[in-house]
Amino acid sequence: MNDMSNELYHNRKVSRAQWHDYMGGLYFITICTSRKRHFFGEISKGVMNLNILGDYCHQLLIDLPGHYSNVLVPLFVVMPNHVHFIVEICSKHHSVCEPIVASVPQRSALSIFVGGFKREVTYFAHQHDIEFGWQGRFYDHIIRGVEDGNNISDYITNNVARWDSDCFNSFENSSAHL
């Protein structure tokens, strides 16, 4: 990295909560594709029809906890141009999954998990000559309590049915129309 890009990288806005270290806890994650293109399939008549990349993404979310011993993914949905999931990260330093107060800046367990997921999907796409790209960052929400978790679960469960009014849905973003 040259000095200018290094300075921009280190001075960019931090999108994570500064008071939380993301090494344990329950999170709602949204990851979008580059330019919100429809890389994972299409929704027709209220059903998400996954293509090969969407199917891989779906299976990877099922299988990833087997690769990360401290991670559970109890609920997820693969949409045409984004993925929503709940991830529970159990801290190696605590007997139960719970948020931990940040102490020393380091790459968090959440960032490692999300980065691994994005890397695997990208690798699969390249291996199968599928044009693909992720948006640079991801959105996270620390789930705070049962009511918050229930609202997020309802949102994920009903996401396909609400596609017509979803903020990520627009005709011009469909990969077939780019």
Side-chain angles (χ1 to χ4, degrees):
M1 229 184 259
N2 66 35
D3 288 340
M4 185 175 204
S5 61
N6 193 25
E7 182 178 328
L8 290 173
Y9 176 79
H10 290 291
N11 291 326
R12 69 183 176 175
K13 182 181 176 229
V14 177
S15 59
R16 308 283 169 254
Q18 295 300 297
W19 50 267
H20 187 76
D21 75 356
Y22 294 89
M23 297 305 280
L26 200 58
Y27 308 94
F28 170 50
I29 305 298
T30 300
I31 311 172
C32 295
T33 60
S34 176
R35 296 176 32 218
K36 296 187 180 70
R37 290 182 58 188
H38 293 198
F39 285 119
F40 299 131
E42 296 296 334
I43 294 176
S44 176
K45 299 179 182 176
V47 175
M48 178 62 197
N49 299 294
L50 298 171
N51 59 23
I52 186 173
L53 189 57
D55 190 50
Y56 181 78
C57 192
H58 178 93
Q59 191 59 47
L60 188 59
L61 283 164
I62 291 170
D63 295 341
L64 269 178
H67 300 284
Y68 295 88
S69 61
N70 62 329
V71 172
L72 299 171
V73 180
L75 186 62
F76 67 88
V77 64
V78 177
M79 299 294 286
N81 58 6
H82 65 284
V83 178
H84 292 301
F85 57 91
I86 293 175
V87 61
E88 182 175 17
I89 299 176
C90 299
S91 168
K92 295 176 184 174
H93 305 292
H94 297 287
S95 59
V96 295
C97 293
E98 62 183 28
I100 306 163
V101 177
S103 56
V104 178
Q106 57 185 334
R107 190 152 180 246
S108 72
L110 181 62
S111 291
I112 291 167
F113 174 76
V114 171
F117 171 75
K118 290 173 75 172
R119 185 175 45 257
E120 287 297 319
V121 173
T122 302
Y123 180 77
F124 179 88
H126 291 164
Q127 289 297 310
H128 291 84
D129 291 323
I130 300 170
E131 180 185 354
F132 178 72
W134 288 110
Q135 181 175 296
R137 295 186 181 191
F138 64 94
Y139 169 82
D140 73 84
H141 170 84
I142 302 166
I143 298 176
R144 298 178 179 104
V146 174
E147 185 177 347
D148 191 28
N150 287 341
N151 290 337
I152 291 165
S153 294
D154 288 344
Y155 179 81
I156 291 172
T157 301
N158 296 307
N159 205 231
V160 172
R162 288 193 308 264
W163 180 241
D164 289 340
S165 62
D166 193 297
C167 65
F168 296 111
N169 179 15
S170 67
F171 182 78
E172 59 272 9
N173 285 333
S174 173
S175 60
H177 304 289
L178 290 178

